[in-house]
Amino acid sequence: MERVLEPEVMDTWEDAVEYDAMDFTDVNTAFANEVIALGPTAGLLLDVGTGTARIPILICQQRPWQIRAIDLSQNMLKVGTQNITRAWLSTQIKLELVDAKSMPYADNEFDMVISNSIVHHLPDPMPCFREINRVLKPNGALFLRDLIRPTDNATVEALVSRIGAEYNPYQAKLFGDSLRAAFTVEEIREMITAAGFAGVEVYQSSDRHWTAKRPYSLA
């Protein structure tokens, strides 16, 4: 199945509120726990495409990391600010309106870079991958995850039908659109290699997700 592009930025207030209302608790908790297992004891972490900042909150509730969380959607960041304030984590998590394809950060600035579900929004992820590799320390940890594009529309519909009755039609449409805009594992593996990353493992981590990871190294 060919990719069907989504808008790069989900920037309406409706998109932000509906996205934040979707129950990703289990998926986000698993993501945060894997980040903690791969990362340093303390350090500076970058979350690329943070959305409404649910994952940084889960991480900072367990670790004393400083997190810069970036997104290109002002409304996502507005909801994220509310979530961070309610969690009393404003001193640890800093939200910034930044384009992941051209970041204002220094080379080798971050001890770890994470990203959940931004890649399928990008028409061409290569500039983003190159920027992540640039700002990440050579020994830094990496944890990226996103959806896998199914082979056909029947599989898309089957996956959408399994997400649960708690999702309204608009939320179900968002999920289906995201699956159609996603990449295959092999496409991601080729791009990670072309972007110059070293020591990164790329694999299918669920029936709908790929993961690219590298643990933090003290060397």
Side-chain angles (χ1 to χ4, degrees):
M1 185 172 67
E2 297 295 319
R3 287 187 76 203
V4 180
L5 295 181
E6 277 193 304
E8 184 171 344
V9 183
M10 297 173 64
D11 202 24
T12 69
W13 182 251
E14 180 186 21
D15 282 342
V17 171
E18 289 285 355
Y19 180 82
D20 193 60
M22 295 173 78
D23 186 6
F24 294 129
T25 302
D26 292 344
V27 172
N28 287 349
T29 300
F31 187 100
N33 289 341
E34 291 187 73
V35 168
I36 289 166
L38 288 172
T41 303
L44 180 61
L45 182 148
L46 175 66
D47 180 21
V48 178
T50 194
T52 59
R54 293 291 186 179
I55 287 174
I57 289 169
L58 290 170
I59 292 169
C60 287
Q61 287 172 337
Q62 301 180 67
R63 287 291 184 272
W65 294 344
Q66 292 294 315
I67 298 182
R68 289 184 188 169
I70 67 171
D71 207 283
L72 202 52
S73 167
Q74 292 181 327
N75 282 313
M76 288 284 188
L77 293 176
K78 286 178 183 178
V79 177
T81 298
Q82 296 172 357
N83 292 336
I84 291 166
T85 300
R86 283 194 291 265
W88 298 92
L89 289 169
S90 299
T91 59
Q92 278 183 261
I93 304 170
K94 301 300 181 186
L95 298 182
E96 298 179 350
L97 184 68
V98 169
D99 186 345
K101 303 184 297 299
S102 180
M103 298 190 234
Y105 308 122
D107 294 357
N108 308 325
E109 184 168 349
F110 293 94
D111 298 289
M112 185 170 194
V113 177
I114 67 172
S115 181
N116 182 52
S117 297
I118 185 180
V119 175
H120 74 267
H121 284 285
L122 304 175
D124 177 11
M126 283 302 298
C128 176
F129 284 147
R130 292 191 184 103
E131 278 292 87
I132 289 173
N133 193 37
R134 179 184 68 80
V135 302
L136 180 62
K137 292 179 180 179
N139 65 322
L142 180 73
F143 194 74
L144 314 177
R145 178 168 286 165
D146 207 327
L147 295 166
I148 294 172
R149 186 175 75 253
T151 56
D152 52 59
N153 276 309
T155 305
V156 171
E157 296 303 327
L159 287 168
V160 171
S161 70
R162 299 205 319 251
I163 63 174
E166 67 271 18
Y167 291 93
N168 65 39
Y170 184 74
Q171 292 168 335
K173 180 182 183 301
L174 289 178
F175 180 50
D177 290 347
S178 295
L179 287 168
R180 293 182 178 92
F183 291 89
T184 67
V185 175
E186 187 55 36
E187 288 168 344
I188 295 298
R189 188 175 289 120
E190 291 174 359
M191 286 187 283
I192 289 289
T193 299
F197 289 96
V200 175
E201 180 186 5
V202 181
Y203 59 98
Q204 181 168 341
S205 50
S206 80
D207 63 344
R208 67 193 71 179
H209 294 101
W210 60 262
T211 295
K213 70 178 184 181
R214 183 178 77 191
Y216 183 78
S217 171
L218 294 174

